[in-house]
């Protein structure tokens, strides 16, 4: 949830009220930068997007040396330099039919002839990939020719911050090249090696056939053209899954899923009762959900290992029986083995922190300094305890089971009278941690006047709780079924979950079977 929150991009609430779907569509320049899967269903669909896991932001301002190196290389390649002091002379030399402008971060540098544009683009890319002549690796090279329709032709270069870049493989050099969103529109990038080999083989076969026809021979059988005409690819994706966000990359066998199921899984993954942190003793969050018996997944993706998902497990493994066994597992309902439940299957906890002030806001500072957490009034034989359920410091013991009406803490006010506050919630809980905060570092005589009391609420599975697989296949627990009434294998294995097979065909859930 936290990782996806800081990688989200929202178009704005204004567009959510529009009747058109144009703003929700993913454009070609978003490939590899915005995840096509990780977006919520409903009104924010297509408006709340998430960055792809492989996309990186350029945050550093371009150095003077980098800008100077780009300009020097362009001049060496034959750039007609545009000088503002003599712009009329430069404009007289510029011919729209022969020349194209070169821009660096929106600033005109000069112009080239159209015939030299491919050579200049190739040279810039070569120097960028091989780190030659001081060309920065994040340089975005956008070459727009006259064949691009209504777009303004020219060579547009970008070095400034606030851009997104991603890595692809340059086939000519075999090295990694960083490209930008606008740049990739005018590049031929293959997703798979098989796609590239097939396209290049078709182009080569087409050349052989043309040469045979020119020689007057038989060209052979005419090969059927694919839906997309073959291209001469210059770059290739490092991995097909690099277009997905971090959460979408954690779904195993996502290529076997229906597209909506991949979307649902991204939402389910953010709702899971996982392991949010490891410094539990030092955290006083307002509300935290935590799974008590997490496990490593048996099936994992490459991204799961890359982000070290085992350090923050998000669920448990389960033995699932796909069978119509009772009437309580229709469609999305499911049964849980009572024996597995009693062994701690799917148990969780919710931690809530109450911040309590010893002094009221309605008294002055001098009187507030006399207020403190304490359960004992008087000294010696005259000492009295305000509540037998609390310790001498006015706090409950760690591990105390609290029910409605139980003593929660005791405060001695400015007049010296004790006041016991009771627990008012309907749901019982345990005292997890009690932290007293005082001002002793500033004033040695200052009493402890703030209490951070962390309470633990058990969240074990009950009827109506929602469970989900790693493929967006969500279901509701309908019953705890006795272990002795469960089906079993010839080896004596009983399942943890019973799931109805009618929930598979409508959703194309073949990946869950895999």
């Amino acid at each position: 949830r936290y990782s996806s929150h800081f990688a989200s991009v929202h178009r704005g609430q204004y567009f959510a009220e529009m009747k058109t779907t144009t703003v929700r569509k993913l454009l070609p320049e978003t490939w590899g930068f915005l995840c096509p899967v990780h977006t919520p269903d409903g009104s924010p669909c297509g408006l709340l997007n998430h960055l792809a896991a492989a996309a990186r932001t350029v945050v550093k301002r371009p150095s003077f040396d980098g800008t100077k190196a780009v300009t020097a290389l362009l001049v060496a390649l034959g750039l007609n330099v545009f000088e503002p002091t003599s712009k009329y002379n430069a404009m007289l030399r510029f011919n729209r039919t022969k020349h194209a402008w070169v821009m660096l971060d929106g600033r005109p540098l000069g112009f080239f002839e159209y015939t030299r544009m491919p050579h200049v683009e190739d040279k810039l890319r070569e120097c960028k990939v091989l780190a030659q002549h001081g060309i920065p690796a994040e340089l975005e090279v956008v070459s727009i020719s006259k064949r691009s329709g209504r777009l303004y032709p020219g060579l547009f270069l970008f070095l400034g911050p606030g851009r997104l870049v991603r890595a692809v493989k340059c086939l000519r050099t075999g090295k990694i090249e960083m490209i930008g969103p606008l740049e990739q529109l005018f590049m031929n990038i293959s997703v798979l090696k098989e796609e590239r080999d097939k396209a290049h083989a078709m182009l080569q076969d087409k050349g052989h056939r043309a040469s045979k026809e020119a020689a007057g021979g038989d060209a052979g059988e005419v090969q059927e053209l694919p839906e997309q005409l073959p291209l001469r690819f210059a770059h290739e994706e490092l991995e097909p899954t690099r277009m997905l966000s971090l959460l979408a990359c954690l779904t195993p066998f996502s290529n076997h899923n229906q597209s909506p199921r991949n979307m649902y899984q991204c939402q389910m993954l953010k709702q899971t009762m996982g392991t949010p942190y490891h410094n539990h003793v030092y955290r006083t969050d307002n509300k935290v959900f935590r799974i008590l018996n997490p496990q490593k997944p048996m099936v994992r993706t490459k991204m799961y290992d890359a982000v070290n998902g085992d350090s923050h497990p998000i669920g448990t493994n389960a033995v699932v029986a796909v069978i119509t066994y009772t009437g309580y597992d229709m469609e999305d309902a499911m049964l849980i083995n009572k024996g597995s439940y009693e062994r701690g299957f799917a148990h969780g906890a919710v931690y809530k922190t109450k911040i309590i002030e010893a002094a009221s806001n309605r008294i002055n500072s001098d009187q507030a300094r006399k207020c403190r957490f304490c359960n004992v009034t008087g000294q010696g034989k005259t000492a009295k305890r305000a509540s037998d359920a609390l310790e001498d410091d006015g706090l409950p013991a760690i591990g105390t089971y609290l029910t409605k009406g139980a003593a929660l803490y005791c405060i001695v006010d400015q007049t010296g009278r004790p006041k016991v506050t009771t627990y008012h919630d309907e749901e019982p809980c345990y005292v997890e941690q009690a932290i007293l905060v005082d001002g002793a570092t500033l004033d040695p005589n200052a009493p402890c006047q703030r209490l951070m009391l962390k309470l633990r609420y058990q969240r074990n599975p009950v009827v109506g709780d929602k469970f989900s697989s790693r493929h967006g296949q969500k279901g509701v627990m309908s019953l705890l079924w006795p272990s002795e009434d469960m089906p079993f294998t010839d080896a004596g294995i009983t399942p943890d979950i019973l799931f109805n097979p009618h929930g598979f065909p409508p959703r194309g859930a073949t990946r869950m079977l895999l």
Side-chain angles (χ1 to χ4, degrees):
R1 177 187 296 267
Y2 296 117
S3 61
S4 64
H5 175 75
F6 293 107
S8 61
V9 180
H10 199 289
R11 289 294 304 272
Q13 192 62 31
Y14 169 76
F15 295 99
E17 303 172 359
M18 297 179 64
K19 303 298 181 182
T20 178
T21 60
T22 306
V23 295
R24 304 176 187 267
K25 295 180 179 179
L26 284 177
L27 300 177
E29 56 263 31
T30 61
W31 172 275
F33 294 97
L34 293 183
C35 179
V37 173
H38 193 178
T39 182
D41 53 341
S43 60
C45 181
L47 298 179
L48 177 58
N49 297 302
H50 294 78
L51 294 179
R56 295 291 180 264
T57 55
V58 179
V59 296
K60 293 184 178 180
R61 296 180 61 87
S63 63
F64 177 76
D65 294 336
T67 305
K68 187 177 180 181
V70 173
T71 306
L73 180 59
L74 291 173
V75 172
L77 293 174
L79 176 70
N80 294 300
V81 181
F82 170 74
E83 299 179 0
T85 56
S86 59
K87 59 182 178 179
Y88 296 105
N89 296 332
M91 293 301 295
L92 289 176
R93 290 185 283 122
F94 180 77
N95 189 338
R96 291 183 57 185
T97 61
K98 296 181 179 181
H99 299 144
W101 281 104
V102 178
M103 311 281 285
L104 178 60
D105 288 331
R107 179 170 56 90
L109 297 180
F111 53 86
F112 278 109
E113 292 184 0
Y114 280 118
T115 55
R116 293 191 54 82
M117 289 279 288
H119 172 69
V120 174
E121 179 189 1
D122 293 342
K123 188 62 178 177
L124 283 173
R125 294 193 185 281
E126 180 183 349
C127 295
K128 177 176 71 169
V129 172
L130 300 178
Q132 296 177 348
H133 304 289
I135 303 300
E138 291 82 12
L139 175 66
E140 186 173 352
V141 183
V142 184
S143 178
I144 304 178
S145 64
K146 290 183 177 181
R147 296 174 297 176
S148 302
R150 299 182 179 181
L151 297 179
Y152 189 80
L155 183 63
F156 302 93
L157 310 176
F158 300 95
L159 274 176
R163 297 180 295 117
L164 290 174
V165 293
R166 67 186 187 94
V168 294
K169 181 181 178 181
C170 179
L171 297 178
R172 187 172 63 173
T173 61
K175 295 184 177 296
I176 303 300
E177 180 178 350
M178 307 300 292
I179 63 173
L182 182 61
E183 182 178 10
Q184 69 179 4
L185 291 179
F186 308 96
M187 300 170 62
N188 295 331
I189 308 174
S190 64
V191 179
L192 299 173
K193 183 178 183 298
E194 292 79 8
E195 175 189 12
R196 167 172 60 90
D197 294 341
K198 184 178 179 181
H200 289 183
M202 292 181 66
L203 288 174
Q204 187 176 5
D205 182 61
K206 183 179 178 181
H208 289 323
R209 187 178 292 111
S211 61
K212 286 184 178 180
E213 289 180 352
D218 185 12
E221 184 181 354
V222 178
Q223 188 176 4
E224 183 180 356
L225 289 177
E227 181 180 354
Q228 293 181 341
L229 294 177
L231 298 172
R232 183 67 66 182
F233 294 106
H235 295 79
E236 187 177 313
E237 298 284 354
L238 299 180
E239 292 176 357
T241 56
R242 292 177 72 88
M243 68 174 182
L244 302 176
S245 68
L246 174 60
L247 265 65
C249 287
L250 299 180
T251 304
F253 302 114
S254 59
N255 55 321
H256 294 276
N257 293 357
Q258 287 182 347
S259 180
R261 291 292 139 185
N262 289 331
M263 294 174 56
Y264 297 155
Q265 170 57 21
C266 292
Q267 308 307 315
M268 296 297 108
L269 196 58
K270 289 188 284 188
Q271 298 174 24
T272 181
M273 186 179 286
T275 308
Y277 50 68
H278 294 293
N279 54 346
H280 179 70
V281 180
Y282 307 102
R283 298 286 293 250
T284 56
D285 298 70
N286 184 39
K287 191 175 184 180
V288 172
F289 296 88
R290 192 180 181 198
I291 193 170
L292 295 183
N293 302 299
Q295 295 178 349
K296 297 180 180 181
M298 297 176 62
V299 179
R300 59 185 66 200
T301 62
K302 189 175 181 179
M303 180 59 71
Y304 185 90
D305 292 329
V307 299
N308 194 16
D310 287 340
S311 62
H312 293 80
I314 56 178
T316 59
N317 298 301
V319 179
V320 181
V322 183
I323 183 174
T324 54
Y325 195 65
T326 68
Y328 291 95
D329 57 351
M330 292 183 298
E331 197 71 20
D332 279 342
M334 53 182 283
L335 299 180
I336 290 185
N337 190 332
K338 191 175 182 180
S340 301
Y341 167 81
E342 292 172 350
R343 289 190 293 269
F345 177 74
H347 283 205
V350 178
Y351 300 91
K352 296 181 181 179
T353 301
K354 294 180 179 291
I355 300 178
I356 304 160
E357 299 286 348
S360 173
N361 295 329
R362 289 174 289 184
I363 60 177
N364 57 42
S365 59
D366 294 334
Q367 292 178 332
R369 295 170 69 88
K370 300 178 182 179
C371 301
R372 65 189 186 278
F373 289 94
C374 187
N375 190 32
V376 180
T377 57
Q379 296 180 354
K381 297 181 179 180
T382 61
K384 294 182 179 181
R385 296 174 64 88
S387 174
D388 293 334
L390 301 176
E391 296 186 337
D392 293 347
D393 55 3
L395 308 179
I398 302 301
T400 302
Y401 184 68
L402 298 178
T403 57
K404 186 176 182 180
L408 188 60
Y409 60 89
C410 180
I411 295 176
V412 176
D413 61 11
Q414 67 274 15
T415 62
R417 292 180 299 181
K419 180 181 179 181
V420 178
T421 302
T422 59
Y423 180 71
H424 297 294
D425 293 351
E426 296 288 343
E427 185 178 9
C429 66
Y430 292 90
V431 178
E432 176 77 9
Q433 192 178 25
I435 301 175
L436 283 172
V437 181
D438 59 10
T441 55
L442 301 177
D443 185 358
N445 298 322
C448 299
Q449 294 185 329
R450 172 174 290 185
L451 168 66
M452 288 182 286
L453 191 63
K454 187 188 296 184
L455 306 176
R456 182 180 76 251
Y457 298 81
Q458 288 184 326
R459 279 291 189 274
N460 301 333
V462 295
V463 173
D465 281 356
K466 184 172 73 170
F467 290 81
S468 174
S469 70
R470 298 173 67 192
H471 307 275
Q473 191 88 356
K474 55 180 182 284
V476 176
M477 173 185 154
S478 57
L479 196 65
L480 281 174
W481 202 252
S483 180
E484 57 270 17
D485 295 336
M486 279 281 182
F488 54 89
T489 66
D490 53 358
I493 298 176
T494 58
D496 300 315
I497 294 174
L498 287 182
F499 195 79
N500 195 289
H502 295 105
F504 282 81
R507 298 167 181 84
T510 57
R511 76 280 173 193
M512 189 171 172
L513 295 175
L514 292 175

